[in-house]
Amino acid sequence: MKCVSSVEPPQHVISTFGLRNVPPTPLGGDWDGGWRLGDVVLSPVADHARAAWSAKVRENLSVDGVRLARPVRSTDGRYVVSSWRADTFIAGSPEPRHDEVVSLSVRLHAATAQLERPRFLVQPPVAPWADADVFVAADRAAWEATPLRAARAAGAPEVTTKDGKQSLELITQLASLRKAVMSQEQLVHGDLFGTVLFEGNDAPGITDIAPYWRPASWAAAVTVVDAISWGGADDALIGRWEDLPEWPQMLLRALIFRFSVHALHARSTPEAFPGLARTADLVRLLL
C-alpha cells in the first residue's frame, strides 16, 4: 500500500530541491501521491530510512531493459527533506502487462543480488504500528515456524473482522504445506504489481524500490499472486513462470505474506479477500 497525499509539497521543500517558480501538478497513486514540477516529481515519504535507502540505490543502479527514476538531491545534498523526496519524472502508467512485470522482476533482481541488507530490514515491528511495521510483520509471518508469532510478540492489534479471521485460518492451512527451501536470500523489490509504469514500446519504468530480504523468485511470486488476485491476470500466469526456483513454495509464502497483510492492516477491505482466497485454491493444486 502506498503513501498517497493530496497535500502540496511545502514551499520550503520546493525551494530546497531547487524547484522555484515551477507550478506543481498532482500525479496520484502512480507516484505515491507525488507532484510533478517540470522534470522532477516530489513525493511524500512514509519512512525516512527506506526512502533514503531507495534513493541511494536508484542513483547508480543499472538494470537491463528498465527505466529507473533517479533521485534528485536537495541543494544541500539530501535525499529526503521534511518527509518529501525528489525523483526524475518518467512517463507512463500501470497496465495489465503481467508477464512483462514478472520478466522485469527477474532482470531487476539479477541487478540487486549484490546489494547489502539494509539495517532497517533486521529490525522487528514495533508499536505503535506504522505501515512499514505491518509489512515487516507480514513478511516474517510467511517464513517463521509459527506464522504471526513475531507480530503478536510485538503487540499486533487483534484481528476482529470476518475476512481478517478467515485470512488467519488460511494462513494456518497454507503454513502446514510449507517445505524447507534452499534459494539464497537477497535484496528484492516486494511490491512490483501496480507500480511498474508502461509507455507504449518504451522499457517499463520503476519509480521506487520496496525492499525485502528474500529469494528473487519470491518477489516474482508476490507479483503473480497480486496479478491473479486483483489484476485480472489469467490463471495460466502461474504456470508460465514455473521454471523459477522453488516456484510452488515461493507462491505459498507469497500468499501467506498477502493474507497476513490483509489480516493486520487497518485499511484492508473485505473486497480484497475473495481474490486472494481464489488464488490460494489455484496454488494448492500445485503442491
Side-chain angles (χ1 to χ4, degrees), residues 99-114:
D99 285 284
E100 291 180 60
V101 176
V102 181
S103 176
L104 178 151
S105 176
V106 174
R107 299 194 306 278
L108 172 64
H109 297 131
T112 62
Q114 303 305 315

Side-chain angles (χ1 to χ4, degrees), residues 100-229:
E100 291 180 60
V101 176
V102 181
S103 176
L104 178 151
S105 176
V106 174
R107 299 194 306 278
L108 172 64
H109 297 131
T112 62
Q114 303 305 315
L115 294 177
E116 295 182 356
R117 186 178 191 176
R119 285 179 295 186
F120 57 74
L121 288 184
V122 182
Q123 299 168 350
V126 294
W129 283 55
D131 277 7
D133 297 298
V134 170
F135 288 100
V136 166
D139 170 50
R140 295 186 180 194
W143 302 86
E144 60 192 351
T146 303
L148 295 174
R149 173 177 286 179
R152 295 187 179 99
E158 183 181 358
V159 177
T160 59
T161 63
K162 179 181 178 181
D163 51 296
K165 292 179 178 178
Q166 289 174 314
S167 294
L168 295 180
E169 293 173 2
L170 282 170
I171 288 168
T172 300
Q173 294 173 21
L174 294 169
S176 69
L177 301 174
R178 290 179 302 180
K179 298 178 181 177
V181 295
M182 303 300 293
S183 297
Q184 183 174 351
E185 295 185 334
Q186 63 162 84
L187 198 290
V188 298
H189 184 342
D191 191 25
L192 283 167
F193 171 75
T195 67
V196 177
L197 304 184
F198 291 96
E199 181 74 4
N201 293 324
D202 291 348
I206 298 175
T207 65
D208 198 6
I209 296 177
Y212 292 82
W213 191 256
R214 297 300 176 196
S217 53
W218 172 83
V222 173
T223 300
V224 168
V225 165
D226 292 352
I228 292 177
S229 300

Side-chain angles (χ1 to χ4, degrees), residues 68-82:
L68 277 170
R70 303 295 183 183
V72 176
R73 291 180 184 245
S74 68
T75 53
D76 57 4
R78 286 177 288 170
Y79 293 118
V80 178
V81 175
S82 299

Side-chain angles (χ1 to χ4, degrees), residues 50-90:
R50 283 170 168 77
W53 173 90
S54 173
K56 186 176 182 180
V57 168
R58 286 183 288 107
E59 196 162 41
N60 297 304
L61 186 66
S62 178
V63 185
D64 181 46
V66 176
R67 293 176 295 145
L68 277 170
R70 303 295 183 183
V72 176
R73 291 180 184 245
S74 68
T75 53
D76 57 4
R78 286 177 288 170
Y79 293 118
V80 178
V81 175
S82 299
S83 296
W84 290 83
R85 75 176 207 257
D87 300 288
T88 56
F89 174 77
I90 56 175

